Amino acid sequence: MNELDSELVRGQLAALGYSFTPDADSADVVLYNTCSVREQAENKVLSRVGKIGIRKREGARVVLGLIGCLAEREGTPLLSRFPQIDLLCGPGELDRLPMLIDNALKTETVEAADRVALAGNRNRRTATLAAAADNLELLDLSRAFDPDGGGSGGPRHSAYVRITRGCNKFCTYCVVPFTRGAEVHRTPDAIVQECRRLADGGVVEITLLGQTVNHYLYTHGVALGVNGQEVPQVGPGGSAFTRSGPRGANGRRVTTFAGLLGRIHEEVPSLRRLRFVTCFPRDFGDDILRVMRDCPRICRYLHAPVQSGSDRILRLMNRGYTSGEYLEFIDRARDILPDISIAGDVIVGFPTETEHDFGQTADLLGRVRFKNNFIFKYSPRPGTTAWDRLPDDVPTDVKRRRNNDLLALQAGISATVHAEQVGRTVEVFVEGLSRRENSRAAGRVELGWERPRGRIQMSGRTAGDLITVFDLPPDGKPETLQGRIVPVRVLRAAPLVLFGCLEASTRSLAKQTVAVHRSGITQLEI
Ligand code: 5AD
Ligand code: SF4
């Protein structure tokens, strides 16, 4: 979500003539897009804010802005705590960011009185209604899509498209319902239109974004904008859904998530890959699984965070499902889509978690056989129900140990899942040079080395989101493969990476030259 917001802000600012630099020290405006989900992310950004404070005290003239969830959650008190911050802008106000920056730049030496906070000053309901209003919608729709990728290392071939904002689930540990407001669903037409524009601009892969995408539900004809056109609307509660799909809406026409996927697949045929994150494990209807099965360009990939394998902890987290129900969902998914690849999130050390609860989470990991899992140590977040009602009683060293144990367990499972691909030919969407190449390149720049001769390693992802690296043929050019989907034969596997070689039929393709237009001015650093 934050990445998409950064992308939209970047597009908005680029359209106004701002250029970007990877070097914060040389910038006139520094913006940090902040995340409040875990404390660690907050601490990191506040430490950077501290460093800019020192520079400003030493005379540097730079406008410093915080955007995103932290700005929304903390609001104006942050300005008193950190006088070096010139502006705050929550995720629901991003359309007004250029105006805030402009004001801050014009006032040059920004006095305290001029500092502005468009955040934390409204309750959840007004924030939601504002999000449903046209301005934010326009930010999504008017994204200044730059097929060159804004100098970020080559043309852009994958993009995010938001389908819902906010969240109604109120998991007891989570700040998102407070920082991003209630769930607001964009109109299907706006989403399809945005996907079409991106595909027409050369995007190969689109990821639909929402906190719980399977709860996407748009009821047509209920609320229209001033010109009679459909507008974003607040999403329904969980009772609107059944296992086979959403319930009827009193005879009104609805677009479900399954319907939306089907529409994009059909109406944007030039799009090669369509994927989505994140799924909520409850209410994932068979209708969605069937559309995935019937539409070959929809990736067989689900990111479905389980959070815990203990029913007691799941209840305390207010997740609304049991581990048995989660497993039943995974079985249904594998019945309908045998090659589905599943990733998840887990929190260890949630208040009152015992060794027994933790053991149940470990068992569940083994049963689901996730391709990978993001494992987090519980971090109490102010404003959440858990912060108010459940003391953070699992000691830090126990959290750390459980985290390490699950990482080790998951590494073994990931290794098996990846090893099953050895010998197969997989379709890889080539993203660019592999991390190894990028760090070698950085070393060369720093140390002034000449580019060494030898193989160049490329990296991409399968439709099941497995990272795959392969050598570029000796006479190949990286830019001819970047952004393409190519067949790669898998030769060996590590826990999180497949190693392969380009299928013979594609090797000649790597040699062709294509005209790649680069503006060369912008860098992504928000
Ligand atoms: N502490 C630890 N992890 C958290 N997550 C969300 N809130 C917290 C928290 N307070 C994790 C969940 C979620 C992911 C995005 O971050 O696993 O799925
Ligand atoms: Fe947070 Fe739960 Fe909503 Fe996910 S579903 S964003 S964890 S409240």
Side-chain angles (χ1 to χ4, degrees):
M1 215 41 100
N2 270 19
E3 238 177 87
L4 172 62
D5 282 344
S6 295
E7 197 180 294
L8 295 176
V9 163
R10 204 161 36 229
Q12 223 186 355
L13 296 179
L16 292 170
Y18 288 90
S19 61
F20 299 82
T21 168
D23 171 23
D25 286 351
S26 67
D28 300 315
V29 180
V30 174
L31 296 176
Y32 287 120
N33 191 0
T34 58
C35 169
S36 260
V37 169
R38 286 173 299 278
E39 196 180 4
Q40 210 182 7
E42 277 190 9
N43 291 344
K44 208 156 131 189
V45 87
L46 292 179
S47 123
R48 293 192 187 174
V49 165
K51 286 193 185 132
I52 294 199
I54 298 172
R55 279 185 49 218
K56 282 180 101 166
R57 280 195 295 282
E58 288 168 355
R61 283 171 45 181
V62 53
V63 168
L64 172 61
L66 251 55
I67 62 179
C69 297
L70 178 62
E72 174 71 33
R73 193 171 69 74
E74 292 272 329
T76 330
L78 260 186
L79 296 180
S80 330
R81 231 175 104 205
F82 296 100
Q84 63 269 42
I85 299 176
D86 301 302
L87 63 94
L88 293 177
C89 184
E93 301 275 6
L94 288 178
D95 54 306
R96 300 174 68 185
L97 183 64
M99 182 260 302
L100 294 181
I101 297 176
D102 205 39
N103 281 350
L105 282 168
K106 280 188 188 128
T107 38
E108 211 151 309
T109 319
V110 187
E111 298 299 338
D114 298 318
R115 290 187 291 130
V116 274
L118 279 182
N121 52 0
R122 297 179 314 165
N123 62 30
R124 190 167 180 269
R125 177 163 168 75
T126 50
T128 301
L129 293 175
D134 281 350
N135 288 351
L136 263 181
E137 175 62 21
L138 284 177
L139 179 58
D140 276 304
L141 270 182
S142 68
R143 65 155 69 187
F145 173 65
D146 176 0
D148 286 339
S152 60
R156 297 286 313 285
H157 296 290
S158 71
Y160 293 112
V161 169
R162 186 182 346 246
I163 64 168
T164 64
R165 293 170 187 279
C167 186
N168 289 343
K169 304 297 167 305
F170 287 98
C171 302
T172 53
Y173 51 81
C174 183
V175 289
V176 169
F178 307 99
T179 56
R180 297 217 170 230
E183 216 168 278
V184 174
H185 300 212
R186 296 180 68 200
T187 72
D189 283 350
I191 297 168
V192 173
Q193 183 191 335
E194 192 177 342
C195 291
R196 194 180 298 119
R197 275 188 45 218
L198 289 166
D200 288 349
V203 162
V204 173
E205 174 188 82
I206 286 179
T207 305
L208 303 179
L209 277 188
Q211 304 294 348
T212 58
V213 282
N214 43 313
H215 278 178
Y216 178 83
L217 189 65
Y218 193 89
T219 307
H220 295 272
V222 284
L224 300 176
V226 275
N227 303 325
Q229 85 284 22
E230 291 186 327
V231 292
Q233 62 184 221
V234 175
S239 59
F241 297 87
T242 70
R243 186 186 129 157
S244 55
R247 295 181 201 284
N250 293 333
R252 287 190 194 274
R253 187 166 70 86
V254 292
T255 296
T256 60
F257 183 56
L260 181 70
L261 284 176
R263 255 193 84 177
I264 300 171
H265 191 263
E266 186 162 318
E267 294 179 34
V268 193
S270 58
L271 183 65
R272 298 286 307 281
R273 272 190 185 179
L274 179 60
R275 54 207 291 283
F276 50 84
V277 287
T278 290
C279 309
F280 192 66
R282 205 186 64 212
D283 310 321
F284 200 101
D286 288 350
D287 55 337
I288 306 172
L289 296 167
R290 279 195 293 265
V291 170
M292 291 173 76
R293 178 196 60 198
D294 297 341
C295 298
R297 290 175 289 113
I298 301 181
C299 292
R300 269 87 173 117
Y301 169 66
L302 296 178
H303 176 230
V306 66
Q307 312 296 5
S308 171
S310 152
D311 290 346
R312 192 181 67 81
I313 296 291
L314 286 170
R315 214 167 29 248
L316 284 179
M317 289 176 163
N318 190 33
R319 290 290 286 177
Y321 55 83
T322 61
S323 57
E325 284 163 344
Y326 184 89
L327 288 168
E328 182 270 335
F329 155 53
I330 299 299
D331 285 348
R332 267 191 300 129
R334 290 208 164 115
D335 258 3
I336 296 176
L337 297 156
D339 54 347
I340 192 87
S341 164
I342 296 166
D345 295 351
V346 170
I347 298 178
V348 294
F350 188 77
T352 78
E353 186 187 68
T354 60
E355 286 304 318
H356 179 67
D357 296 315
F358 174 69
Q360 290 180 315
T361 303
D363 284 350
L364 187 123
L365 256 53
R367 290 179 69 180
V368 176
R369 293 169 27 85
F370 290 96
K371 75 133 181 120
N372 74 298
N373 242 309
F374 299 96
I375 297 164
F376 303 105
K377 297 189 280 285
Y378 171 66
S379 143
R381 306 286 49 224
T384 60
T385 311
W387 169 274
D388 289 337
R389 300 204 191 142
L390 298 167
D392 180 22
D393 59 358
V394 179
T396 309
D397 56 332
V398 174
K399 284 184 189 167
R400 196 177 311 124
R401 194 220 344 117
R402 289 181 188 166
N403 188 60
N404 290 341
D405 286 356
L406 277 199
L407 284 172
L409 174 67
Q410 182 58 51
I413 297 167
S414 299
T416 318
V417 171
H418 282 72
E420 283 163 5
Q421 302 294 325
V422 174
R424 294 188 188 160
T425 294
V426 291
E427 296 282 301
V428 174
F429 169 51
V430 185
E431 290 170 325
L433 296 177
S434 72
R435 273 198 195 181
R436 185 189 82 184
E437 292 302 336
N438 280 326
S439 49
R440 283 200 333 197
R444 283 196 294 273
V445 172
E446 257 168 43
L447 303 170
W449 288 350
E450 277 302 299
R451 182 186 179 91
R453 295 185 71 78
R455 296 272 171 86
I456 294 180
Q457 199 180 56
M458 304 294 292
S459 170
R461 277 177 295 109
T462 68
D465 205 48
L466 304 182
I467 297 167
T468 309
V469 298
F470 61 90
D471 283 343
L472 188 71
D475 48 355
K477 294 187 174 60
E479 59 271 26
T480 52
L481 286 187
Q482 194 172 347
R484 288 183 186 250
I485 296 178
V486 295
V488 171
R489 193 146 48 80
V490 181
L491 304 173
R492 64 192 176 87
L496 288 176
V497 190
L498 301 176
F499 297 89
C501 66
L502 209 52
E503 282 289 2
S505 58
T506 323
R507 287 192 198 140
S508 61
L509 190 151
K511 289 187 218 162
Q512 296 162 14
T513 353
V514 286
V516 181
H517 168 69
R518 288 180 204 277
S519 65
I521 41 162
T522 55
Q523 280 292 333
L524 320 179
E525 171 74 12
I526 289 188

